[in-house]
Amino acid sequence: MTVAVEPRDDGVAVVTLDRPERHNAIDLATAAELASAWRDLRRDESVRAVVLTGAGERAFCTGIDRSVTVPQPPSPYAMDDPLRDIGPKANDLWKPVVAAVGGMACGGAFYLLGEAEFIVADETATFFDPHTSYGMVSAYEAVYMAQRMPAGEVARMALMGTAERVSARRAYETGLVSEVVPRGEAVAAAVRAAAVIASYPTEAVQGTVRAVWAAKEAALAQALARAPQLIALGNRPPDAQAALFAARGPGFRTR
């Protein structure tokens, strides 16, 4: 198992991506386990709020595992993306989800962060989007982040690729993160907030979650609908992407 679900006695469940040796990157099995976990939590009446985090200190999640091969249909108008169904909202879970981030959060991690209600980060957290560096279109990731950050900040993060990382403090200043806490304390802070939310009447909480999402659903749906075509037309072939990934340099700037 690469996704651990820990129910607590205060109405909170902690969902942990448990592949620290791979920086909690998501392979096909992990993607399926995430979807299954969200669907199970929908039906668990003892759980009224969820905390999502990653195991280890180095990363919350680094997106899709680059060892994964995903066969694609032979049309630029269709694309299979194993990360489209890994988020709570994609699985019709409307219980509030608080993300607790330490270390790196990049690329496909934004599918998860984009469907959380809010994000707590520890001071080690960094956020970046490597797609353009490897000849890939940042479509879904940029769309999700555009729901949380000013457009200029999203554009900069997506276009700067691996050359620049956004610090926890800068993420807080731009609205991506709601709270920055000392190293190693993100989960505890997220659980504290989730426990307060779980103590309130669940109908009111879930109705409020729906109301907040209703404010952006139309724009989000339209933007996501364009993503497959942009990716199919703009991505370099997988072997060219792999060559760029293999040739990546170690340097980056954190702002």
Side-chain angles (χ1 to χ4, degrees), residues 130-216:
H131 279 72
T132 55
S133 296
Y134 305 145
M136 303 166 68
V137 174
S138 175
Y140 291 107
E141 295 81 4
V143 167
Y144 279 120
M145 290 300 96
Q147 310 301 307
R148 295 191 173 277
M149 302 167 68
E153 291 292 328
V154 176
R156 178 167 180 162
M157 184 166 65
L159 294 172
M160 290 296 287
T162 58
E164 190 172 87
R165 299 184 182 184
V166 177
S167 66
R169 179 55 54 185
R170 182 59 183 161
Y172 174 79
E173 292 169 350
T174 61
L176 173 60
V177 167
S178 67
E179 182 181 7
V180 178
V181 297
R183 181 188 185 105
E185 295 185 16
V187 172
V191 166
R192 283 196 299 271
V196 171
I197 297 167
S199 73
Y200 298 151
T202 187
E203 294 84 358
V205 167
Q206 291 189 33
T208 300
V209 170
R210 293 266 189 172
V212 171
W213 280 85
K216 57 185 179 181

Side-chain angles (χ1 to χ4, degrees), residues 104-148:
M104 294 182 290
C106 64
F110 297 153
Y111 288 71
L112 292 169
L113 297 181
E115 292 195 0
E117 269 51 66
F118 56 90
I119 301 167
V120 176
D122 82 18
E123 59 193 8
T124 71
T126 57
F127 303 83
F128 62 102
D129 189 348
H131 279 72
T132 55
S133 296
Y134 305 145
M136 303 166 68
V137 174
S138 175
Y140 291 107
E141 295 81 4
V143 167
Y144 279 120
M145 290 300 96
Q147 310 301 307
R148 295 191 173 277

Side-chain angles (χ1 to χ4, degrees), residues 21 27 39 54 75 89 95 97 111 127 130 142 153 155 171-172 182 202 212-213 215 233 241 248-249:
E21 73 286 354
D27 61 8
R39 290 194 296 269
S75 168
K89 306 302 180 292
K95 299 175 182 181
V97 176
Y111 288 71
F127 303 83
E153 291 292 328
Y172 174 79
T202 187
V212 171
W213 280 85
L233 294 171
Q241 294 177 27
R248 68 193 185 280

